[in-house]
């Protein structure tokens, strides 16, 4: 059971979340978000999206994008998203996302978007040459959530600022169009020890799909050998493990491995550390490798099985898109009326 905050207003609880189909999903995506998605299915209706329109904010090879969209859908299902209970689809099949994003482009302020740290990180020195889509990406993310009037959004720590922006957009829309409670202010659900999984090579950097070193991350498609090797080679410091979690402060790599252990074992960092207090890293790493292999390899196997039948994945995505559209149609009708669009 995941503790969730109640949202203001009279909106029925609904979860929305999504992941970009760019490269393979990794342990950070799994522990920060996907695992919580699975649990939330027992608590409220859930809508889970493969956000292919977000992916094209940077250049994508069309064939690779299509393959990656199916792969991410397979990862959702393999991890436990039930496409019958929850709605699973890819964003580009439901036009409400793009339509509402345009309205939000006209609600959000330049100053708000200028503050987004992820744009600064992604654009880097190449700001002038970034796509306009990359800059307004958070508006599309707000549209994803609010087209369903979703109340809860399970994500990793790095999406917190984007969610604050989604709340600001919802609030300004409600105010500007005289509809005080039209959109809910969506609550981030950022819970558990895996909300910010760090690189295995550098404990100060987030584990990321775009890191050039494959040893920095564990991909959900890695086999047992790759997982074990990456954990054994993970950077640590020369000290033994501390007696308590306070002793992990200032030891980013050690703290990261303990958090990963706790998240995979579904326990607290304190409980994960206790049996290894004062020990060298080698024994801890062996246990962590065994745990990661036990938890992750069945998922990779199930993904491979699902990907053998891409037509079935496409069928699931289409069925999900039909159900998703049915939720967005009345919301968009009301948005059009509030904004003053005729017809
Ligand atoms: P994306 O595709 O970068 O990541 C997908 C999810 O994985 C989480 N995550 C992590 N969690 C812990 N540690 C890490 N190292 C780590 N790396 C990634 C992310 O926080 C995210 O939850 N903008 C979003 C996708 C999106 C979305 C939405 C999310 C589009 N529309 C609407 C929620 C609601 C993104 O790029 O996530």
């Amino acid at each position: 059971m995941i503790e969730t905050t109640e949202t203001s207003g009279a909106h029925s609880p609904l979860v929305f979340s999504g992941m970009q189909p760019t490269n393979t999903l990794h342990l950070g995506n799994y522990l920060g978000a996907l695992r919580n998605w699975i649990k939330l299915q027992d608590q409220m209706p859930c809508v889970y999206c493969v956000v292919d329109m977000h992916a094209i904010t940077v250049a994508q090879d069309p064939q690779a994008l299509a393959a990656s969209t199916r792969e991410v859908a397979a990862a959702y299902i393999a991890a436990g998203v039930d496409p019958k209970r929850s709605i699973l689809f890819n964003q580009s099949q439901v036009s409400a996302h793009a339509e509402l994003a345009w309205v939000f482009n006209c609600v959000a302020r330049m100053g708000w978007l200028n503050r987004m740290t992820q744009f600064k990180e992604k654009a880097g020195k190449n700001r002038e040459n970034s796509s306009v889509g990359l800059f307004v990406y958070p508006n599309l993310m707000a549209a994803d959530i609010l087209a369903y009037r979703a109340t809860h959004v399970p994500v990793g720590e790095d999406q917190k600022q984007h969610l604050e922006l989604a709340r600001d957009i919802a609030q300004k829309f409600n105010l500007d169009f005289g509809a005080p409670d039209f959109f809910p202010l969506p609550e981030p659900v950022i819970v558990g020890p895996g909300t910010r999984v760090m690189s295995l090579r550098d404990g100060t950097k987030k584990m990321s799909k775009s890191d050039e070193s494959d040893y920095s991350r564990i991909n959900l498609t890695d086999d047992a050998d790759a997982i074990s090797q990456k954990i054994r080679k993970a950077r640590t410091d020369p000290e033994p493990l501390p007696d308590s979690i306070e002793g992990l402060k200032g030891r980013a790599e050690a703290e990261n491995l303990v958090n990963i252990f706790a998240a995979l074992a579904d326990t607290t960092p304190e409980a994960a550390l206790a049996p290894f207090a004062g020990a060298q890293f080698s024994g801890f790493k062996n246990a962590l490798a065994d745990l990661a292999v036990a938890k992750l390899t069945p998922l990779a196997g199930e993904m491979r099985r699902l990907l053998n039948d891409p037509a079935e994945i496409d069928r699931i995505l289409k069925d999900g898109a039909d159900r998703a559209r049915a939720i967005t149609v009345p919301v968009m009708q009301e948005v059009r009326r509030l904004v003053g669009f005729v017809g």
Side-chain angles (χ1 to χ4, degrees):
M1 175 89 178
I2 293 184
E3 289 278 330
T4 53
T5 326
E6 250 180 65
T7 36
S8 57
H11 296 279
S12 341
L14 180 85
V15 165
F16 183 96
S17 200
M19 298 201 186
Q20 294 197 56
T22 42
N23 304 328
T24 309
L25 297 186
H26 55 70
L27 187 64
N29 301 128
Y30 179 63
L31 297 179
L34 197 44
R35 253 172 32 119
N36 291 339
W37 296 10
I38 311 310
K39 293 184 187 162
L40 283 163
Q41 292 181 114
D42 297 328
Q43 294 172 233
M44 52 185 103
C46 297
V47 181
Y48 294 130
C49 186
V50 184
V51 291
D52 48 4
M53 286 162 63
H54 277 89
I56 65 162
T57 54
V58 296
Q60 299 292 338
D61 169 70
Q63 272 180 0
L65 177 66
S68 191
T69 298
R70 294 190 182 102
E71 193 183 297
V72 171
Y76 289 3
I77 300 169
V81 169
D82 175 356
K84 290 205 181 67
R85 248 199 313 169
S86 300
I87 294 179
L88 193 174
F89 72 108
N90 57 313
Q91 187 183 26
S92 59
Q93 290 205 59
V94 179
S95 60
H97 294 252
E99 201 181 334
L100 188 58
W102 178 256
V103 175
F104 288 171
N105 283 345
C106 304
V107 171
R109 307 288 90 186
M110 290 290 289
W112 298 1
L113 289 159
N114 271 329
R115 284 197 286 277
M116 295 296 115
T117 54
Q118 203 160 78
F119 174 75
K120 290 181 201 160
E121 279 161 24
K122 285 200 178 172
K125 292 197 179 72
N126 208 12
R127 197 185 150 100
E128 288 299 306
N129 208 22
S130 301
S131 74
V132 176
L134 189 65
F135 185 67
V136 294
Y137 168 119
N139 295 346
L140 178 59
M141 180 163 161
D144 298 339
I145 299 162
L146 295 170
Y148 301 84
R149 298 211 265 195
T151 54
H152 293 85
V153 186
V155 283
E157 181 73 39
D158 61 343
Q159 295 301 316
K160 202 170 172 191
Q161 194 185 33
H162 288 160
L163 272 172
E164 280 158 13
L165 186 91
R167 291 167 65 92
D168 289 344
I169 290 176
Q171 205 158 23
K172 182 160 162 53
F173 180 97
N174 291 351
L175 197 73
D176 287 356
F177 295 103
D181 206 22
F182 182 68
F183 284 125
L185 306 188
E187 288 289 339
V189 182
I190 302 175
V191 291
T195 56
R196 191 167 176 81
V197 177
M198 308 308 279
S199 155
L200 299 179
R201 306 301 302 158
D202 176 352
T204 63
K205 278 196 341 200
K206 195 178 74 169
M207 185 178 285
S208 144
K209 294 171 196 163
S210 52
D211 196 313
E212 62 285 356
S213 162
D214 198 51
Y215 273 89
S216 69
R217 66 185 157 258
I218 294 174
N219 303 305
L220 295 188
T221 46
D222 282 347
D223 62 18
D225 281 351
I227 296 174
S228 301
Q229 267 216 27
K230 287 177 180 181
I231 290 177
R232 294 208 172 90
K233 287 196 175 194
R235 192 164 151 188
T236 48
D237 55 47
E239 301 296 313
L241 283 148
D243 292 337
S244 70
I245 53 159
E246 285 75 48
L248 290 170
K249 290 269 168 319
R251 299 177 65 185
E253 283 86 11
E255 185 174 26
N256 187 39
L257 292 181
V258 170
N259 282 340
I260 292 175
F261 197 119
L264 283 171
D266 226 340
T267 181
T268 59
E270 288 87 338
L273 177 63
F276 302 98
Q280 298 300 322
F281 274 100
S282 52
F284 172 79
K285 279 183 167 178
N286 286 338
L288 177 57
D290 289 347
L291 177 63
V293 166
K295 293 279 174 178
L296 300 178
T297 50
L299 203 155
E302 181 60 7
M303 267 178 79
R304 271 195 301 278
R305 192 188 68 76
L306 290 161
L307 285 166
N308 275 333
D309 189 356
E312 173 62 8
I313 295 182
D314 292 1
R315 198 200 54 72
I316 290 171
L317 291 174
K318 184 178 178 307
D319 171 68
D322 290 341
R323 287 154 61 207
R325 218 173 285 116
I327 303 179
T328 63
V329 165
V331 177
M332 290 312 296
Q333 247 164 23
E334 194 54 16
V335 166
R336 279 193 287 272
R337 191 189 67 75
L338 286 166
V339 171
F341 291 161
V342 173

